[in-house]
Amino acid sequence: MKVLVLGDGRLGQEIVNQTGWDLLSRKKDNIDVSLFDDWCWKMTGYDVILNCIANTNTYSEDYQSILDTNYKFVTHLVTFCDEMGIKLVHISTDYVYVNSVENASETSVPVPDRSWYSLSKLLADEHIVLFCRDYLICRLSHKPYPFPYDEAWGDVSTNADYTPVISELVIKLIENGACGLYNVGTPTKTIYELASRTKDVTETISPPHIPKNVTMDLTKLNQFLSKL
């Protein structure tokens, strides 16, 4: 199986480090998401394209840039992958569940918070589900390893984990042919509890606009992994 990773952010780079898969970088390879036809030929010959490209400026008001990167670019990827017979693996976010139920399952109705980031990611997910013939969507969140800050929120519950841990889970899903939509993470903990595993941090309270619970039901993921 020949896999191409798009994007050399923290997650994309860690996945490449763990697997040796090929990589296309927006900076190093001059990839402009708004000029898709100029470089899409570079993606030919692969069995799987893993899209880690995203505008993660969560509360930015620059909605056009966010929509262009997180939604419109994905629609082009779907069309390309369908035409070329390539499987699309897309990295989504737990933020689509901000106003949904706790421990949201893949079949729960996502209700994004009032940010263009969350809305753009949900739009991309729904477009893939509706139009892509062969796909895997991974809803997740990951944190730098080790935790880089001196303070950590004790009132925010999450299934996020450190980037190497989340990367390993995504790799297992890809290598073992998972399809459809998966919540990807590890058992629920607070950001403070996660941070304390790698650093002596001070527990603090998050700002009012930060979602306090984006927990996900990981049953589907765990059942898949238990069969490997």
Side-chain angles (χ1 to χ4, degrees):
M1 181 174 61
K2 193 174 181 182
V3 181
L4 174 65
V5 179
L6 302 181
D8 62 349
R10 190 181 301 128
L11 184 69
Q13 189 60 64
E14 177 61 29
I15 288 174
V16 169
N17 290 343
Q18 291 190 24
T19 61
W21 290 339
D22 290 345
L23 171 70
L24 275 182
S25 163
R26 279 193 283 181
K27 293 180 180 179
K28 296 177 182 178
D29 297 298
N30 196 28
I31 301 302
D32 187 338
V33 297
S34 65
L35 299 173
F36 187 84
D37 290 342
D38 289 355
W39 58 269
C40 64
W41 58 270
K42 296 181 179 181
M43 298 187 292
T44 58
Y46 288 91
D47 303 301
V48 176
I49 291 175
L50 168 56
N51 179 37
C52 296
I53 290 177
N55 183 328
T56 57
N57 194 353
T58 310
Y59 293 103
S60 170
E61 293 299 320
D62 185 7
Y63 67 90
Q64 194 62 62
S65 175
I66 292 173
L67 287 173
D68 286 348
T69 303
N70 296 350
Y71 172 59
K72 291 182 181 179
F73 170 59
V74 174
T75 67
H76 293 308
L77 273 179
V78 168
T79 300
F80 177 85
C81 288
D82 280 356
E83 290 178 350
M84 303 300 295
I86 298 172
K87 181 176 183 176
L88 175 61
V89 179
H90 178 67
I91 300 301
S92 184
T93 176
D94 57 2
Y95 258 55
V96 300
Y97 294 127
V98 165
N99 294 314
S100 187
V101 298
E102 292 186 12
N103 299 314
S105 71
E106 290 85 353
T107 57
S108 298
V109 179
V111 187
D113 68 344
R114 295 181 179 179
S115 71
W116 286 104
Y117 168 73
S118 183
L119 176 60
S120 67
K121 297 297 283 185
L122 180 57
L123 287 172
D125 288 2
E126 295 302 319
H127 184 89
I128 292 170
V129 170
L130 286 171
F131 298 107
C132 195
R133 295 173 186 164
D134 189 6
Y135 69 88
L136 168 65
I137 299 172
C138 298
R139 287 178 172 163
L140 55 82
S141 181
H142 57 97
K143 304 300 179 185
Y145 177 86
F147 197 77
Y149 310 111
D150 295 324
E151 298 179 345
W153 299 326
D155 62 336
V156 174
S157 297
T158 180
N159 297 106
D161 211 311
Y162 290 113
T163 305
V165 176
I166 297 299
S167 297
E168 185 177 358
L169 292 174
V170 172
I171 292 166
K172 285 182 179 179
L173 288 171
I174 295 172
E175 289 184 333
N176 291 281
C179 295
L181 175 61
Y182 279 79
N183 294 334
V184 179
T186 56
T188 300
K189 81 286 289 177
T190 65
I191 298 296
Y192 171 74
E193 290 169 337
L194 177 63
S196 298
R197 297 176 187 174
T198 59
K199 189 175 182 179
D200 185 11
V201 294
T202 301
E203 184 174 3
T204 58
I205 301 300
S206 63
H209 69 279
I210 298 297
K212 304 302 184 279
N213 193 308
V214 287
T215 56
M216 304 182 294
D217 184 345
L218 302 176
T219 300
K220 184 177 179 180
L221 171 72
N222 292 331
Q223 287 179 344
F224 183 89
L225 295 177
S226 69
K227 298 176 182 177
L228 301 182

